[in-house]
Amino acid sequence: MFLGNRIKQLRMQRNMTQEELAKKIGYKSKTTITKIENGTNDIVQSKVCDFAKALNTTPAYLMGWEEPEQPTPKSNGYPTVRIPVLGDVAAGVPILAQQDIIGTEEIPAEWAKKGEYFGLKIRGDSMEPRIHNGSTVIVKVQNDANNNEIVIVMIEDEATCKKFHKYSDIVVLNPINANYEPIILDKNSNIKILGKVVRAIEDF
């Protein structure tokens, strides 16, 4: 496992976003973290120490010189459980939801105690820059949402990923990407919230 993989693994186990890690290290944006995690950028020795401190580990582990405890359900670290990742869902115009299981992802075991979760592969760029085309989102199963939360919604027999806004007589599903128009639905439309997006995982 190379340095970037170890950083990404620990960041996700700590439930930390790339933006949060970048801020702790002193980078201006998550772009540098992205490049480090996928192996595009190297980091100097002094930054290895900064990463180790931010991720509550040792420089030796990040460099691959030692193997500390790996969190498991039996450890006192950060136990995880695996959830299924289903097929594509649109971040653009709605598309037919695919229910085939295409893989798995890990979530904190504490989450699993409080609800049901699944992963979905995102196709499209209407949620850029927060959720990228090809990312996997972790979804908490629920049938309602608060305004401004990102949700997976079924419209008739099609699904999409959007920001949710509910008004007295309409529901508005907003993209983040300004190149897309919101989806406006009246209160009698056949829509169903499948769940709330709680994390986006970038796949490299």
Side-chain angles (χ1 to χ4, degrees), residues 76-90:
N76 293 320
Y78 294 84
T80 61
V81 297
R82 288 197 169 273
I83 59 170
V85 176
L86 308 180
D88 293 344
V89 67

PDB file of all heavy atoms in Angstrom, residues 76-90:
ATOM      1  N   ASN A  76     -10.229  -1.560  19.362  1.00  0.00           N
ATOM      2  CA  ASN A  76     -10.645  -0.326  20.017  1.00  0.00           C
ATOM      3  C   ASN A  76     -10.412   0.869  19.112  1.00  0.00           C
ATOM      4  O   ASN A  76     -10.406   2.006  19.571  1.00  0.00           O
ATOM      5  CB  ASN A  76      -9.863  -0.149  21.325  1.00  0.00           C
ATOM      6  CG  ASN A  76     -10.238  -1.192  22.347  1.00  0.00           C
ATOM      7  OD1 ASN A  76     -11.408  -1.539  22.474  1.00  0.00           O
ATOM      8  ND2 ASN A  76      -9.255  -1.704  23.083  1.00  0.00           N
ATOM      9  N   GLY A  77     -10.161   0.619  17.836  1.00  0.00           N
ATOM     10  CA  GLY A  77      -9.901   1.691  16.885  1.00  0.00           C
ATOM     11  C   GLY A  77     -11.185   2.210  16.272  1.00  0.00           C
ATOM     12  O   GLY A  77     -12.097   2.653  16.956  1.00  0.00           O
ATOM     13  N   TYR A  78     -11.258   2.143  14.955  1.00  0.00           N
ATOM     14  CA  TYR A  78     -12.413   2.654  14.236  1.00  0.00           C
ATOM     15  C   TYR A  78     -13.047   1.508  13.458  1.00  0.00           C
ATOM     16  O   TYR A  78     -12.747   1.316  12.280  1.00  0.00           O
ATOM     17  CB  TYR A  78     -11.995   3.791  13.298  1.00  0.00           C
ATOM     18  CG  TYR A  78     -11.500   5.016  14.013  1.00  0.00           C
ATOM     19  CD1 TYR A  78     -10.173   5.106  14.437  1.00  0.00           C
ATOM     20  CD2 TYR A  78     -12.356   6.074  14.296  1.00  0.00           C
ATOM     21  CE1 TYR A  78      -9.717   6.231  15.114  1.00  0.00           C
ATOM     22  CE2 TYR A  78     -11.901   7.199  14.969  1.00  0.00           C
ATOM     23  CZ  TYR A  78     -10.587   7.278  15.375  1.00  0.00           C
ATOM     24  OH  TYR A  78     -10.137   8.376  16.029  1.00  0.00           O
ATOM     25  N   PRO A  79     -13.915   0.730  14.090  1.00  0.00           N
ATOM     26  CA  PRO A  79     -14.510  -0.428  13.420  1.00  0.00           C
ATOM     27  C   PRO A  79     -15.379  -0.009  12.244  1.00  0.00           C
ATOM     28  O   PRO A  79     -16.008   1.047  12.255  1.00  0.00           O
ATOM     29  CB  PRO A  79     -15.344  -1.092  14.514  1.00  0.00           C
ATOM     30  CG  PRO A  79     -15.616  -0.010  15.503  1.00  0.00           C
ATOM     31  CD  PRO A  79     -14.404   0.885  15.471  1.00  0.00           C
ATOM     32  N   THR A  80     -15.385  -0.825  11.226  1.00  0.00           N
ATOM     33  CA  THR A  80     -16.182  -0.552  10.030  1.00  0.00           C
ATOM     34  C   THR A  80     -17.012  -1.762   9.653  1.00  0.00           C
ATOM     35  O   THR A  80     -16.745  -2.886  10.089  1.00  0.00           O
ATOM     36  CB  THR A  80     -15.279  -0.182   8.839  1.00  0.00           C
ATOM     37  OG1 THR A  80     -14.405  -1.284   8.559  1.00  0.00           O
ATOM     38  CG2 THR A  80     -14.451   1.053   9.134  1.00  0.00           C
ATOM     39  N   VAL A  81     -18.034  -1.519   8.852  1.00  0.00           N
ATOM     40  CA  VAL A  81     -18.823  -2.592   8.254  1.00  0.00           C
ATOM     41  C   VAL A  81     -18.948  -2.309   6.771  1.00  0.00           C
ATOM     42  O   VAL A  81     -18.816  -1.163   6.333  1.00  0.00           O
ATOM     43  CB  VAL A  81     -20.233  -2.704   8.887  1.00  0.00           C
ATOM     44  CG1 VAL A  81     -20.132  -3.059  10.365  1.00  0.00           C
ATOM     45  CG2 VAL A  81     -21.011  -1.397   8.705  1.00  0.00           C
ATOM     46  N   ARG A  82     -19.185  -3.348   6.001  1.00  0.00           N
ATOM     47  CA  ARG A  82     -19.318  -3.194   4.551  1.00  0.00           C
ATOM     48  C   ARG A  82     -20.785  -3.098   4.159  1.00  0.00           C
ATOM     49  O   ARG A  82     -21.635  -3.780   4.716  1.00  0.00           O
ATOM     50  CB  ARG A  82     -18.644  -4.357   3.820  1.00  0.00           C
ATOM     51  CG  ARG A  82     -17.131  -4.300   3.895  1.00  0.00           C
ATOM     52  CD  ARG A  82     -16.456  -5.186   2.864  1.00  0.00           C
ATOM     53  NE  ARG A  82     -15.032  -4.906   2.797  1.00  0.00           N
ATOM     54  CZ  ARG A  82     -14.484  -3.983   2.041  1.00  0.00           C
ATOM     55  NH1 ARG A  82     -15.260  -3.246   1.256  1.00  0.00           N
ATOM     56  NH2 ARG A  82     -13.190  -3.773   2.039  1.00  0.00           N
ATOM     57  N   ILE A  83     -21.039  -2.228   3.184  1.00  0.00           N
ATOM     58  CA  ILE A  83     -22.393  -2.058   2.648  1.00  0.00           C
ATOM     59  C   ILE A  83     -22.339  -2.242   1.134  1.00  0.00           C
ATOM     60  O   ILE A  83     -21.297  -2.038   0.515  1.00  0.00           O
ATOM     61  CB  ILE A  83     -22.970  -0.662   2.985  1.00  0.00           C
ATOM     62  CG1 ILE A  83     -22.074   0.441   2.413  1.00  0.00           C
ATOM     63  CG2 ILE A  83     -23.151  -0.503   4.483  1.00  0.00           C
ATOM     64  CD1 ILE A  83     -22.693   1.823   2.490  1.00  0.00           C
ATOM     65  N   PRO A  84     -23.455  -2.626   0.513  1.00  0.00           N
ATOM     66  CA  PRO A  84     -23.450  -2.817  -0.937  1.00  0.00           C
ATOM     67  C   PRO A  84     -23.453  -1.495  -1.686  1.00  0.00           C
ATOM     68  O   PRO A  84     -24.033  -0.503  -1.239  1.00  0.00           O
ATOM     69  CB  PRO A  84     -24.757  -3.572  -1.188  1.00  0.00           C
ATOM     70  CG  PRO A  84     -25.661  -3.142  -0.076  1.00  0.00           C
ATOM     71  CD  PRO A  84     -24.750  -2.975   1.121  1.00  0.00           C
ATOM     72  N   VAL A  85     -22.763  -1.484  -2.829  1.00  0.00           N
ATOM     73  CA  VAL A  85     -22.827  -0.355  -3.757  1.00  0.00           C
ATOM     74  C   VAL A  85     -23.657  -0.804  -4.947  1.00  0.00           C
ATOM     75  O   VAL A  85     -23.346  -1.809  -5.600  1.00  0.00           O
ATOM     76  CB  VAL A  85     -21.430   0.081  -4.228  1.00  0.00           C
ATOM     77  CG1 VAL A  85     -21.545   1.192  -5.277  1.00  0.00           C
ATOM     78  CG2 VAL A  85     -20.602   0.564  -3.049  1.00  0.00           C
ATOM     79  N   LEU A  86     -24.730  -0.062  -5.203  1.00  0.00           N
ATOM     80  CA  LEU A  86     -25.619  -0.392  -6.306  1.00  0.00           C
ATOM     81  C   LEU A  86     -25.174   0.325  -7.573  1.00  0.00           C
ATOM     82  O   LEU A  86     -24.231   1.106  -7.565  1.00  0.00           O
ATOM     83  CB  LEU A  86     -27.061  -0.027  -5.947  1.00  0.00           C
ATOM     84  CG  LEU A  86     -27.559  -0.593  -4.612  1.00  0.00           C
ATOM     85  CD1 LEU A  86     -28.999  -0.162  -4.362  1.00  0.00           C
ATOM     86  CD2 LEU A  86     -27.456  -2.113  -4.585  1.00  0.00           C
ATOM     87  N   GLY A  87     -25.890   0.083  -8.665  1.00  0.00           N
ATOM     88  CA  GLY A  87     -25.510   0.647  -9.953  1.00  0.00           C
ATOM     89  C   GLY A  87     -25.719   2.148 -10.034  1.00  0.00           C
ATOM     90  O   GLY A  87     -25.974   2.825  -9.044  1.00  0.00           O
ATOM     91  N   ASP A  88     -25.624   2.679 -11.235  1.00  0.00           N
ATOM     92  CA  ASP A  88     -25.602   4.117 -11.474  1.00  0.00           C
ATOM     93  C   ASP A  88     -26.882   4.823 -11.046  1.00  0.00           C
ATOM     94  O   ASP A  88     -27.974   4.303 -11.178  1.00  0.00           O
ATOM     95  CB  ASP A  88     -25.412   4.394 -12.967  1.00  0.00           C
ATOM     96  CG  ASP A  88     -24.042   3.968 -13.461  1.00  0.00           C
ATOM     97  OD1 ASP A  88     -23.143   3.747 -12.634  1.00  0.00           O
ATOM     98  OD2 ASP A  88     -23.888   3.846 -14.680  1.00  0.00           O
ATOM     99  N   VAL A  89     -26.691   6.056 -10.560  1.00  0.00           N
ATOM    100  CA  VAL A  89     -27.800   6.984 -10.378  1.00  0.00           C
ATOM    101  C   VAL A  89     -27.337   8.316 -10.944  1.00  0.00           C
ATOM    102  O   VAL A  89     -26.148   8.630 -10.929  1.00  0.00           O
ATOM    103  CB  VAL A  89     -28.214   7.113  -8.891  1.00  0.00           C
ATOM    104  CG1 VAL A  89     -27.114   7.766  -8.092  1.00  0.00           C
ATOM    105  CG2 VAL A  89     -29.512   7.885  -8.735  1.00  0.00           C
ATOM    106  N   ALA A  90     -28.269   9.098 -11.461  1.00  0.00           N
ATOM    107  CA  ALA A  90     -27.888  10.299 -12.195  1.00  0.00           C
ATOM    108  C   ALA A  90     -27.618  11.485 -11.294  1.00  0.00           C
ATOM    109  O   ALA A  90     -28.320  11.732 -10.325  1.00  0.00           O
ATOM    110  CB  ALA A  90     -28.987  10.670 -13.184  1.00  0.00           C
TER     111      ALA A  90
END
